[in-house]
Amino acid sequence: MRYYPDKMTPEQARTFGKDVLNIVCQIPRGKVTTYGHIAAWAGWPSHSRMVGRTLRYSPGAESLPCHRVVNIAGRTAPGWSRQRTLLEEEGVTFKPNGHVDMSKHLWEPEINGV
DNA sequence: AGTTTGACTGGAG
DNA sequence: CCTCCAGCCAAAC
């Protein structure tokens, strides 16, 4: 995976956002992944926060399964309680502490299209 | 141009 | 397991 040590140019930021959305739409039903993983797969390992921003503010994100993205601990997005409901409807199980059971539902990407 | 803000993460307490 | 803190970095102030 490519990694640019320098800061993003506006063009790279655009590509990053596009890649993020493209990755999110590939998360299988009943699975979840994390901000950090998506950032890494998009080629910018240290940009997990930007993944969250992209999903929250990108207009097209609502038509994607962005509810299948949680943080590394399996915690759902703050201020979006419905996310848990959406996941449970897909069969995602939660632990007693309210976090997604990552050991069962974490989706690892297939490099180069499976 | 400097400061604050997070849909984050990892480590410490 | 939880909260707090430092590092993170594009965006919004």
Side-chain angles (χ1 to χ4, degrees):
Chain A
M1 83 176 59
R2 70 193 193 284
Y3 171 68
Y4 303 99
D6 296 320
K7 295 192 174 184
M8 284 181 165
T9 65
E11 180 179 353
Q12 289 172 326
R14 234 184 325 119
T15 300
F16 177 82
K18 181 172 61 65
D19 290 345
V20 167
L21 298 180
N22 189 49
I23 291 169
V24 169
C25 75
Q26 297 180 53
I27 306 175
R29 223 183 116 81
K31 290 288 185 177
V32 300
T33 193
T34 74
Y35 301 94
H37 280 99
I38 293 174
W41 298 331
W44 297 85
S46 61
H47 288 58
S48 55
R49 304 189 83 143
M50 195 174 163
V51 173
R53 185 182 10 260
T54 300
L55 293 182
R56 184 178 187 188
Y57 299 109
S58 283
E62 297 157 12
S63 59
L64 300 176
C66 53
H67 60 277
R68 296 180 189 145
V69 182
V70 298
N71 74 8
I72 193 69
R75 191 161 45 236
T76 53
W80 189 24
S81 57
R82 181 161 169 68
Q83 179 178 16
R84 172 169 181 161
T85 305
L86 291 170
L87 288 173
E88 289 179 323
E89 289 174 351
E90 297 186 349
V92 173
T93 58
F94 284 71
K95 297 195 288 186
N97 58 354
H99 296 180
V100 171
D101 189 338
M102 301 300 275
S103 63
K104 291 183 179 174
H105 302 101
L106 177 62
W107 176 65
E108 301 282 3
E110 300 88 23
I111 305 302
N112 191 22
V114 182

